[in-house]
Structure formats: C-alpha cells, structure tokens
Amino acid sequence: MKLQSITDTTNNWAGQREIKVEFSAETASTNDDAKDAALSEADDLVIYLTNHQSKGRGRGINHWLDTGAGESLLSTWSMAVGSPPQAITAPRVGLAVLQAVSQTWPSLNWSLKAPNDLLLNGKKCGGLLVETVSDGGQHRLLIGLGFNILNHPRKFNEATHLSPALTQPLEEGEWFQFLDELKDAFAGALLDIQKPELTEGACKQLMQALNANPAAQISVTKVTPRGDLVHKGGTISWTEL
C-alpha cells in the first residue's frame, strides 16, 4: 500500500510492536516534549511523533523545517540507559541511522556530514539532535530524528527527500522494515555509548560514511576512538563541530 502519512504509518508500526507513542498533531519540538517527561517515563522506549514542529530544534541555533503534512518522520526516541552516555554518543548514533537506511535501501548513495546530517546523493535528507537527561542514577537518551520522506521544504537547495530516489512509491512494508532496522541499530548503539571509546569497526565505518559525502570539504584519514576527525590539515573533535 502506498504511504500517505509517515506519521500515521509510524504510529501503526509502533502499535504493532507494543511501543509507547506520544503523538501530537502539532508541537513546538518533540525533543522538548521528550525532555519535559524524561524522568517520569516508565517505559524503556517511548517515541514522540508529530506532523509538524513549529520550533523544531537543530544543533546550536539551527532549526528543522517541515512541510507540516506528515510527510516526514518528525520524532524523538526517548530511551532509558543504565549509565550516563559518553562523549562518543553523537557519532555512534549517527552511524546507527546510517546503518538502518543502508540496510533498507542499500542501492542508494547514503553518507554522513558531521556532526548531525544524513545525506542522500550529497543533499541533506535527515538530521539528528542528541540530548541526555540525568538525575542521580536515572538516565535517558533523547534522539531527535527528522527524516524527509515524501516531501521536503523547498527553502533550501541543499535539501532533498527519499521518494525521488526510489524506483517505486514507498509502501508500508518497506517503511516498517526501516523502522525495525532503526530500532535494532539504536539498541546496538545504546550498548556502545556507555563506553568511552568507539570500536575499531565503528571508526572505520564513520570514516567511510564521511568521505562518501561528495560535497565534503576535507578528506578524513582517520576517525579516532574518541570521535576526533583526522585529516591532512589537523584534527577536529566531533563535539566541537
């Protein structure tokens, strides 16, 4: 069945998987909603969904724009973790999203732009906002994921969405597959982010994903276990980008 609403289909997927969803037709920011409720959540995983964010937050002063019609995945994945997430969290979560899209659509040209962009054919298709909330021994990781699927705002020439890259219209089963891959990839990331260093495999995959960006301004020769990007001109910390 051809998808008409990414939000509704994601809500249906979560219901079938018995995952708690907090849905609002419109909200200022799913990350803000998730943050406000983080320490009162009883479920290990809660997904915040909306059709439109009026003040969708990106990294720093940036904002995430949408078409307001449920054509994008506007979500925050609120997850309980046993210990405070380490400094490697942002690159490791970015790698998880890349793994999910690559498993679902392996023929497409995916890449990453540090610190928080998912690219398709060199254009921004998704963005991440990773935050944590802690109180004593209680910790929650909030992964804000915006992903343009059926459409995208035309304000930015460097943006795109998934549908034009597909050979046929996106169907429910295909979207369910992606969400299953994403859930599993996030579960794997949760284990890693409680450690101080990235694994050797994660470092190599991140380097390849960054260099696959056709518009990359530098060529990364190494991603260190701490998440630093080494290039001919020096070293850049992921957290400082």
Side-chain angles (χ1 to χ4, degrees):
M1 180 183 358
K2 181 180 177 181
L3 297 192
Q4 301 296 326
S5 170
I6 292 299
T7 311
D8 290 347
T9 307
T10 302
N11 205 356
N12 292 340
W13 167 84
Q16 292 186 25
R17 305 302 189 266
E18 299 184 341
I19 298 170
K20 181 181 177 182
V21 169
E22 295 289 350
F23 169 73
S24 299
E26 179 177 341
T27 189
S29 162
T30 57
N31 260 53
D32 287 348
D33 294 343
K35 186 181 293 186
D36 289 343
L39 298 178
S40 62
E41 295 287 12
D43 294 71
D44 288 342
L45 170 61
V46 181
I47 303 176
Y48 288 75
L49 291 174
T50 189
N51 286 325
H52 173 57
Q53 294 182 117
S54 59
K55 297 181 181 179
R57 292 193 291 118
R59 189 177 176 89
I61 62 173
N62 296 325
H63 296 279
W64 179 266
L65 301 180
D66 63 79
T67 61
E71 297 172 315
S72 298
L73 175 63
L74 304 173
S75 66
T76 297
W77 300 59
S78 174
M79 293 176 284
V81 289
S83 59
Q86 300 296 301
I88 63 166
T89 298
R92 183 60 185 85
V93 169
L95 180 59
V97 175
L98 180 73
Q99 291 169 336
V101 295
S102 298
Q103 286 291 327
T104 311
W105 302 286
S107 64
L108 301 187
N109 298 317
W110 300 105
S111 60
L112 294 177
K113 178 183 177 183
N116 63 339
D117 290 349
L118 173 69
L119 306 183
L120 175 59
N121 296 324
K123 292 190 173 185
K124 184 171 180 175
C125 193
L128 286 164
L129 178 62
V130 180
E131 300 179 298
T132 60
V133 176
S134 296
D135 182 23
Q138 188 176 2
H139 312 283
R140 289 195 79 90
L141 176 67
L142 310 180
I143 303 176
L145 174 60
F147 189 6
N148 296 327
I149 306 301
L150 303 178
N151 201 356
H152 74 276
R154 304 298 194 225
K155 182 176 181 179
F156 303 109
N157 293 329
E158 66 272 19
T160 190
H161 61 284
L162 175 63
S163 290
L166 302 177
T167 57
Q168 58 186 13
L170 183 67
E171 295 187 350
E172 182 181 80
E174 192 175 359
W175 186 244
F176 274 31
Q177 178 190 348
F178 164 69
L179 293 172
D180 285 334
E181 296 283 0
L182 185 64
K183 179 176 177 292
D184 290 346
F186 280 162
L190 282 187
L191 299 176
D192 288 347
I193 64 170
Q194 297 175 72
K195 303 171 185 177
E197 294 186 342
L198 294 163
T199 65
E200 181 179 355
C203 290
K204 290 181 178 178
Q205 290 177 63
L206 283 166
M207 182 186 70
Q208 293 168 353
L210 293 167
N211 288 334
N213 173 13
Q217 297 181 349
I218 62 172
S219 176
V220 178
T221 58
K222 180 181 180 181
V223 175
T224 72
R226 294 283 184 174
D228 296 330
L229 310 183
V230 180
H231 59 101
K232 290 183 178 180
T235 301
I236 306 171
S237 171
W238 196 293
T239 58
E240 294 176 356
L241 289 167

